[in-house]
Amino acid sequence: MPPGDEVLVHARALTKRFGDFTAVDAVDFDVRTGEAFGFLGPNGAGKTSTMRMIACSSPISDGELSVIGMDPRSQAPRIKSRIGVVPQIDNLDAELTVRENLLMYARYFDIAGEIAGRRADELLDFVQLGERAGDQVEPLSGGMKRRLTIARSLINDPELVILDEPTTGLDPQARHLVWERLYRLKQRGATLIITTHYMDEAEQLCDRLVVMDKAKIVAEGSPRDLIQRYSTREVLEIRVSDAVRATLNGRLEDVAERVEELPDRLLLYVGDGEQALEAVHDRQVPLESALVRRATLEDVFLRLTGRTLIE
Amino acid sequence: MTVNALAPAARVLQRNLWVYRRTWRGSILGSFLTPLLYLTAMGVGVGSLVTAAGSPAFEGYEFVHFLGPGILAATCMQSAVFESTFPVLGKISWRRNYEAMLATPLGVPHLLAGELLWVGFRVLTISAVFLAVMTLFGIPRYPLALLAIPAAILTGLAFSASVIAFAATQRTGEGFSWLFRFVINPLFLFSGTFFPLSQLPDAVEWAAALTPLYHGVALVRGTVLAEQAFLGPWPLHVAYLVAFGAVGAFLAHRLLKRRLLS
Ligand SMILES: Nc1ncnc2c1ncn2[C@@H]1O[C@H](COP(=O)(O)OP(=O)(O)OP(=O)(O)O)[C@@H](O)[C@H]1O
Ligand SMILES: [Mg+2]
């Protein structure tokens, strides 16, 4: 389903303060129906605070917010009945079994027993937990708990699903399984809002995203847009010894459009990585290692904030 | 609380009942043992030493008759308080159940009402079993004795609401140890549970009469024994407990809201 033009979540100058501290500072964004919209940013950027305001579990301090055309200040229960929430930290009911977790959650939404049972079974299949239906929640692996939380967020057949770091802490295999399920969810027409501090997650899942840093949105666009706008096509990563690094002072500037110096390596932003690598060799700079890769959102973030995403 | 709010609150109760399905046998057994042990050890054992039947100290009743209803009220208080401490704080902070519930159409008033319904249910079972055990000792005078159950529920709810308010301000369980040591245990001992308060100096008697358990004990003892002398001004006791519970519920709602919706 192509992203529609209808705006499902609309925020203007949206602000969250905790006492004197501003966690979300006057951000603007629009999430359209049917798209997967990302919030990419490092720890403490304000992603969760923003999600919680959208999910009506945190009062907004200032600004405008509408969710599915409703105002969280006055219509929270109606909004909540139409969205699904996957919180950053799992809050499954440890005293109930896997299936009971879904059935009970259905009860909270006032979904009748028979329908609830059918949906619970479908969703357990959807997240591939059918065989664990009768088990307790506690012994499940992190990835299984995450999938159960995702299944639970879908029990009310929501139009909008808010996922706060859906794959943080999971091993690569578990992450791919979650991604694949989220992709299918989107295929079925759900609108997704996803926060992450993994650039590959954002690139894989999001049609559009905002980059958040220190309570503010610093850029917005599709992953490709952002890379085009803020980076070159390729990146040459080189490692040199400290002694060599000390003698470089600007010798590589004209090889690349831009050079980023990180503690452990240098990033040369270039159109053609192999060509740039030859140019570096021509200048007889002794390299410990060299790698040519495509530019990613990580590079966008570095450009925008001068820092890496995961410190 | 309107009927509208009661249906969602019933779902919060239902969640606790689902968990209870796994543990009810042990819980009911415990509810049997408490009165059985108290009535045998304290009532019959100690009782045979402290009073002959018809002693004036207990308004003409045997000690075990005097003691039984007092312990019923005090035990119900204890259980109601316990249910409002660790389980509630766990749902606020360690297990985050409330966070999960608040992501659904449920709101803080429903959580609070649901927990109070649950406490009411717990006290219902505890007091009913207690009454049954006392029947074995020939203590209750029916049918009035049946009113001890709503009296015990009212007592439990009055405590529960204010203890939930307290729990909403706690980070660790440490405060609860203090609560039990310095509030609940003294109340257990000095609310007319074991002996008539007229035994104490006037000032202490007055202070005791200001605590909710005193009123709960009066209602339960008066109804179980169908004895006006114990019952005293019952509308006053009821009004006191209702007022105490209402203030507690008001505070609990405010404090839970502050804690859960930051
Ligand atoms: N309830 C709260 N009270 C006070 N400060 C808070 C509260 N919740 C969040 N903050 C602060 O607000 C800032 C933003 O937090 P938030 O959780 O929104 O960040 P985040 O982008 O989700 O980070 P992470 O990637 O670590 O989850 C942080 O500095 C955090 O300490
Ligand atoms: Mg977060």
Side-chain angles (χ1 to χ4, degrees):
Chain A
M1 180 182 279
D5 282 339
E6 194 195 331
V7 171
L8 207 59
V9 180
H10 169 85
R12 286 295 174 274
L14 180 62
T15 300
K16 181 72 201 183
R17 280 185 289 266
F18 297 105
D20 295 338
F21 179 78
T22 305
V24 179
D25 192 1
V27 299
D28 301 337
F29 59 89
D30 287 306
V31 180
R32 300 186 202 122
T33 304
E35 74 178 340
F37 190 88
F39 284 81
L40 178 68
N43 290 131
K47 305 183 294 295
T48 297
S49 303
T50 308
M51 294 310 109
R52 295 187 63 233
M53 287 191 281
I54 300 172
C56 309
S57 25
S58 168
I60 69 183
S61 308
D62 233 321
E64 253 180 72
L65 178 65
S66 93
V67 182
I68 322 184
M70 292 177 276
D71 182 348
R73 281 183 253 232
S74 55
Q75 292 169 291
R78 286 188 57 202
I79 293 174
K80 291 195 288 181
S81 71
R82 290 168 65 178
I83 65 176
V85 179
V86 174
Q88 183 167 352
I89 302 168
D90 285 322
N91 53 19
L92 294 163
D93 196 325
E95 293 172 283
L96 300 177
T97 66
V98 168
R99 188 163 184 274
E100 283 174 341
N101 259 277
L102 300 186
L103 294 179
M104 198 63 238
Y105 222 62
R107 292 300 303 133
Y108 298 152
F109 283 96
D110 199 19
I111 297 167
E114 206 177 306
I115 304 173
R118 196 163 352 107
R119 270 202 206 152
D121 294 331
E122 276 168 20
L123 286 170
L124 285 178
D125 283 343
F126 178 67
V127 297
Q128 300 176 358
L129 283 173
E131 287 173 6
R132 308 298 297 258
D135 292 4
Q136 291 296 308
V137 165
E138 218 34 71
L140 297 184
S141 71
M144 289 177 177
K145 282 186 188 156
R146 215 58 189 141
R147 267 144 55 204
L148 181 56
T149 305
I150 291 171
R152 193 186 65 175
S153 75
L154 302 177
I155 198 78
N156 55 329
D157 203 7
E159 292 152 68
L160 169 68
V161 188
I162 298 168
L163 302 115
D164 197 354
E165 303 199 15
T167 68
T168 297
L170 302 191
D171 62 43
Q173 203 190 344
R175 290 179 76 200
H176 280 280
L177 188 56
V178 169
W179 286 354
E180 196 254 326
R181 295 294 112 172
L182 294 182
Y183 184 72
R184 285 236 227 148
L185 193 58
K186 195 177 147 242
Q187 296 288 300
R188 297 203 293 195
T191 306
L192 308 181
I193 300 182
I194 300 163
T195 81
T196 181
H197 46 222
Y198 297 123
M199 42 132 192
D200 52 343
E201 184 156 280
E203 282 179 40
Q204 286 268 340
L205 293 176
C206 300
D207 300 309
R208 286 193 313 132
L209 58 95
V210 291
V211 179
M212 251 190 123
D213 185 43
K214 294 185 178 149
K216 287 193 162 44
I217 287 177
V218 291
E220 189 221 303
S222 72
R224 261 182 59 192
D225 272 356
L226 287 170
I227 292 168
Q228 255 169 21
R229 215 176 326 148
Y230 295 103
S231 176
T232 53
R233 206 169 63 85
E234 293 193 331
V235 184
L236 171 61
E237 289 197 13
I238 58 175
R239 286 173 205 272
V240 297
S241 66
D242 286 348
V244 172
R245 191 188 276 228
T247 66
L248 282 178
N249 40 33
R251 264 164 73 199
L252 298 177
E253 295 289 307
D254 59 329
V255 174
E257 276 183 34
R258 200 160 53 82
V259 179
E260 286 282 355
E261 294 203 29
L262 300 183
D264 59 334
R265 66 215 142 107
L266 300 175
L267 304 183
L268 280 64
Y269 288 92
V270 295
D272 182 332
E274 292 300 334
Q275 210 178 331
L277 182 56
E278 260 171 53
V280 173
H281 282 311
D282 288 347
R283 284 172 173 72
Q284 304 193 327
V285 178
L287 303 181
E288 288 181 347
S289 70
L291 166 78
V292 174
R293 60 168 176 81
R294 294 178 61 89
T296 68
L297 286 173
E298 180 83 46
D299 301 300
V300 173
F301 188 80
L302 189 62
R303 172 69 190 275
L304 288 169
T305 69
R307 286 174 300 121
T308 50
L309 261 168
I310 300 172
E311 282 112 11
Chain B
M1 191 74 36
T2 64
V3 178
N4 243 353
L6 220 52
R11 292 173 207 136
V12 178
L13 166 68
Q14 189 183 3
R15 184 261 165 206
N16 289 348
L17 289 173
W18 278 21
V19 177
Y20 188 65
R21 281 195 303 209
R22 297 210 171 80
T23 58
W24 69 273
R25 285 180 200 84
S27 159
I28 295 280
L29 187 68
S31 305
F32 260 108
L33 285 179
T34 307
L36 205 60
L37 295 178
Y38 263 112
L39 294 178
T40 318
M42 304 287 290
V44 181
V46 179
S48 62
L49 299 175
V50 296
T51 105
S55 150
F58 302 109
E59 304 283 347
Y61 284 85
E62 279 180 53
F63 181 54
V64 69
H65 287 235
F66 180 86
L67 179 77
I71 303 280
L72 189 165
T75 305
C76 288
M77 163 194 75
Q78 237 177 3
S79 299
V81 169
F82 179 79
E83 290 292 342
S84 316
T85 54
F86 293 97
V88 168
L89 182 55
K91 286 173 187 166
I92 292 173
S93 96
W94 312 307
R95 301 187 160 202
R96 298 166 161 266
N97 302 62
Y98 291 154
E99 180 189 71
M101 292 176 178
L102 289 174
T104 74
L106 297 179
V108 172
H110 308 127
L111 303 189
L112 177 58
E115 294 297 353
L116 290 174
L117 285 174
W118 163 246
V119 168
F121 169 81
R122 286 286 294 140
V123 175
L124 171 73
T125 62
I126 293 167
S127 57
V129 171
F130 205 115
L131 207 56
V133 173
M134 283 201 295
T135 309
L136 299 177
F137 288 76
I139 297 171
R141 294 208 4 225
Y142 294 106
L144 195 66
L146 286 175
L147 285 182
I149 293 176
I153 293 175
L154 178 59
T155 309
L157 290 181
F159 275 99
S160 176
S162 28
V163 174
I164 290 175
F166 176 67
T169 65
Q170 297 299 295
R171 301 275 149 190
T172 67
E174 213 176 315
F176 300 144
S177 322
W178 284 77
L179 175 70
F180 274 100
R181 230 175 293 160
F182 296 108
V183 180
I184 302 304
N185 289 346
L187 284 182
F188 198 104
L189 294 170
F190 293 98
S191 299
T193 324
F194 292 91
F195 55 87
L197 283 183
S198 51
Q199 299 293 315
L200 297 174
D202 276 359
V204 181
E205 190 182 342
W206 267 101
L210 289 177
T211 70
L213 184 59
Y214 169 86
H215 300 276
V217 166
L219 284 176
V220 171
R221 183 173 286 135
T223 49
V224 168
L225 300 176
E227 174 63 66
Q228 182 57 45
F230 293 126
L231 201 51
W234 67 267
L236 205 70
H237 299 313
V238 171
Y240 181 95
L241 290 170
V242 169
F244 195 89
V247 172
F250 173 78
L251 288 175
H253 177 249
R254 274 185 71 143
L255 294 169
L256 278 175
K257 213 166 154 177
R258 198 175 72 184
R259 180 78 179 266
L260 294 169
L261 302 177
S262 61

